[in-house]
Amino acid sequence: MDAMLLANLSARVGPEDTLWVVGDFAFGPRAKDKKWLANLFARLPGKERHLVVGNHDGEATQSLPWTSVSHMAEVADGNGAPAVLNHYPMITWHRARRGALHLFGHVHNQWMGSRNAINVGTDVWGYVPITIRDIAQRARTLPKNKHWLDVERGVEL
């Protein structure tokens, strides 16, 4: 599985690209093996590699030489489209009322997300890396968040 994921990453992430891992970089007994983790990390493509911490990202994973390690991050694509990254799905987030997308993982294929909160887990994207543009396209096909008006009254999606 690791070899396939690395091959897919290398096929789509260039040497000048920025890679965001939205949690759970490694899982299982090997996730505590610092040598194995360092070897895996060294094979990641991209100029910058960022980790948004997931529930399986222990001290060994977090101590790798990431460009950044955080529990939440705000990014924008080349066109300035904002996104808030958190390993866990959230009901609302910064700039949600202004069209910021929320990108999450954690739930695997249990929930694809909604029009403004999209599951970016590799298992729901064919195990290939995706761009914010890919995510925005899928978002338009997803249903409205049925709890949106519970927390963001007066702001339609």
Side-chain angles (χ1 to χ4, degrees):
M1 181 179 86
D2 296 333
M4 184 227 8
L5 286 168
L6 286 167
N8 289 348
L9 280 168
S10 294
R12 293 198 64 190
V13 178
E16 295 300 314
D17 289 337
T18 300
L19 176 67
W20 285 88
V21 175
V22 185
D24 295 350
F25 175 68
F27 176 73
R30 287 181 136 184
K32 295 177 182 174
D33 180 340
K34 290 184 179 189
K35 186 176 179 180
W36 179 81
L37 284 169
N39 180 43
L40 187 64
F41 182 86
R43 296 165 60 197
L44 290 177
K47 183 176 183 177
E48 294 183 7
R49 297 171 203 101
H50 302 268
L51 175 68
V52 176
V53 178
N55 56 303
H56 294 292
D57 295 318
E59 180 184 332
T61 293
Q62 292 180 48
S63 67
L64 292 166
W66 300 97
T67 305
S68 72
V69 175
S70 60
H71 289 274
M72 188 179 310
E74 294 185 34
V75 300
D77 69 4
N79 300 318
V84 173
L85 287 61
N86 188 300
H87 180 65
Y88 306 97
M90 300 185 295
I91 191 72
T92 193
W93 49 91
H94 187 239
R95 290 195 258 172
R97 289 176 173 230
R98 295 188 185 128
L101 295 174
H102 166 45
L103 315 182
F104 65 89
H106 186 65
V107 297
H108 301 281
N109 62 358
Q110 296 175 49
W111 184 49
M112 295 296 289
S114 64
R115 197 165 295 167
N116 62 348
I118 302 90
N119 184 344
V120 296
T122 60
D123 49 349
V124 297
W125 288 87
Y127 300 94
V128 297
I130 52 174
T131 65
I132 291 179
R133 187 176 305 126
D134 297 331
I135 296 161
Q137 282 183 311
R138 180 173 286 181
R140 289 190 286 275
T141 71
L142 294 172
K144 287 183 179 180
N145 181 331
K146 63 184 174 182
H147 297 291
W148 182 250
L149 293 178
D150 295 338
V151 295
E152 295 291 354
R153 293 193 175 123
V155 181
E156 286 291 328
L157 290 177

